[in-house]
Amino acid sequence: MNDEDLRLAPRTRAADLLAWAAGEDRAPVAEEPLRTVLALLELGDGRMHDGWPELTSAAVEHLLYERLHLYVQPAPEQDPLAYGEAVRLLVDHQRAAKRLNAKRQERLHAEAEWQGEVAVGLLHRADLVTWPRLYAVLLHAHDVDVTDPAAVRDWLAGFAGLTEDERLAGYQALTPTGWLDDPDEQGWWAPGRVLSVGMATDGARRLLEQGLMRRSYRNLAELNALGRPMPDELTGGFEEFEEAAAEAALDLLGEWTVPGLPRLLVEEFPELAPEPGTAEIDAYLAQLPAE
């Protein structure tokens, strides 16, 4: 265990994996998707071994089918197939390290290839977006320089000045222009759709926070076994630890969509990204016609 493991957020071994791939004269894999894949695998329910995720069919499916579309919004110039390619590179690396036999390598390769293709479709579905992903798409669609925090904040401020109906129309416009696919035949951003996006966003962020805390507790157990001191993030009360995990989660969500965007939506523009509580959900359900 090195000092990087004492931090709350993962510090992936993407550089090591890329160096190995270069040494093997393999086709290059994009670094950003590779870092994302390694981080999500580490924050999932799977096991780690010497800093590498233990690859199984369940772990690959969990990543590409269940988790990726909760957190990741590739930029228009990025190839979403790169996430499946990153998994396949990790499979080959683990085979070279004798963590996998040839049969498991072949099976995981095939699964990562088709699950990666499925993930591309999921990333494009309007009914599966979270608020950070949706606003990342909007920023790209409106040609906002997402590398400029002031430009992102200014655009959000302008969008916040629109009426609710105008904002809903802005979401809806992403479908006919090809930015998102909508499997809903009506294809309209009704209040129920907004409610579901808010619930998905809240759930995704909480899952991420829990993964971050599990990672720290897992490392803490190893620290205790080695007789090393507790990391600073775990020396305070549990509330401080939860707050640290929440901050780290917002930073990671920004890395996977637009830097700083998730924090802006939570701290400065919550009206643009409402996350309903029990009362709001009950009120909505009460308005629906009886079956």
Side-chain angles (χ1 to χ4, degrees):
M1 171 173 285
N2 57 46
D3 291 340
E4 295 292 332
D5 293 324
L6 305 185
R7 303 184 186 184
L8 189 60
R11 301 299 193 273
T12 69
R13 300 185 64 179
D16 294 340
L17 190 50
L18 290 172
W20 174 83
E24 296 291 316
D25 292 326
R26 294 178 57 98
V29 173
E31 182 175 355
E32 188 173 337
L34 181 59
R35 290 189 183 280
T36 300
V37 162
L38 290 172
L40 284 172
L41 284 170
E42 183 172 352
L43 295 174
D45 297 326
R47 298 171 59 185
M48 299 289 294
H49 189 94
D50 291 339
W52 298 102
E54 185 174 293
L55 289 173
T56 64
S57 296
V60 171
E61 180 179 9
H62 189 63
L63 168 71
L64 295 174
Y65 185 71
E66 299 179 20
R67 287 293 176 94
L68 196 69
H69 70 268
L70 292 177
Y71 302 114
V72 173
Q73 185 55 54
E77 67 275 11
Q78 294 177 325
D79 183 1
L81 286 172
Y83 299 98
E85 293 172 358
V87 175
R88 296 199 297 276
L89 177 62
L90 181 59
V91 169
D92 290 346
H93 176 268
Q94 292 299 279
R95 167 60 178 160
K98 299 182 179 179
R99 303 287 185 203
L100 302 172
N101 61 33
K103 186 175 182 180
R104 287 185 64 197
Q105 177 192 24
E106 182 180 1
R107 184 178 71 248
L108 289 173
H109 241 283
E111 291 172 352
E113 183 171 4
W114 74 264
Q115 291 278 6
E117 293 173 354
V118 170
V120 173
L122 298 178
L123 287 169
H124 217 250
R125 280 178 49 171
D127 61 327
L128 295 180
V129 295
T130 56
W131 288 126
R133 288 192 56 225
L134 178 62
Y135 279 98
V137 175
L138 282 166
L139 289 165
H140 289 302
H142 288 265
D143 294 321
V144 179
D145 182 0
V146 296
T147 66
D148 183 351
V152 172
R153 179 180 281 104
D154 288 346
W155 187 88
L156 291 174
F159 199 70
L162 301 178
T163 66
E164 182 180 3
D165 286 344
E166 288 172 332
R167 291 200 295 268
L168 291 175
Y171 306 149
Q172 172 62 26
L174 294 170
T175 299
T177 53
W179 285 93
L180 292 174
D181 297 331
D182 200 332
D184 187 342
E185 292 182 0
Q186 294 182 343
W188 186 251
W189 278 76
R193 172 70 66 82
V194 173
L195 194 75
S196 67
V197 174
M199 293 171 63
T201 301
D202 177 71
R205 191 173 62 247
R206 290 179 186 276
L207 279 173
L208 187 56
E209 292 170 4
Q210 291 167 9
L212 288 164
M213 289 190 283
R214 280 198 309 270
R215 178 182 184 273
S216 286
Y217 284 131
R218 183 170 63 234
N219 290 342
L220 179 60
E222 186 174 344
L223 286 175
N224 289 337
L226 295 173
R228 295 181 60 181
M230 183 180 295
D232 290 341
E233 289 159 328
L234 296 180
T235 57
F238 186 72
E239 289 185 0
E240 287 112 345
F241 183 39
E242 284 187 311
E243 291 174 2
E247 293 293 315
L250 287 175
D251 290 338
L252 280 173
L253 290 170
E255 289 181 20
W256 299 335
T257 54
V258 170
L261 173 62
R263 187 177 298 279
L264 284 171
L265 292 174
V266 169
E267 297 178 354
E268 297 187 32
F269 300 99
E271 72 279 12
L272 294 183
E275 297 180 19
T278 303
E280 291 85 355
I281 295 172
D282 289 344
Y284 171 75
L285 293 177
Q287 296 174 1
L288 297 179
E291 295 183 359

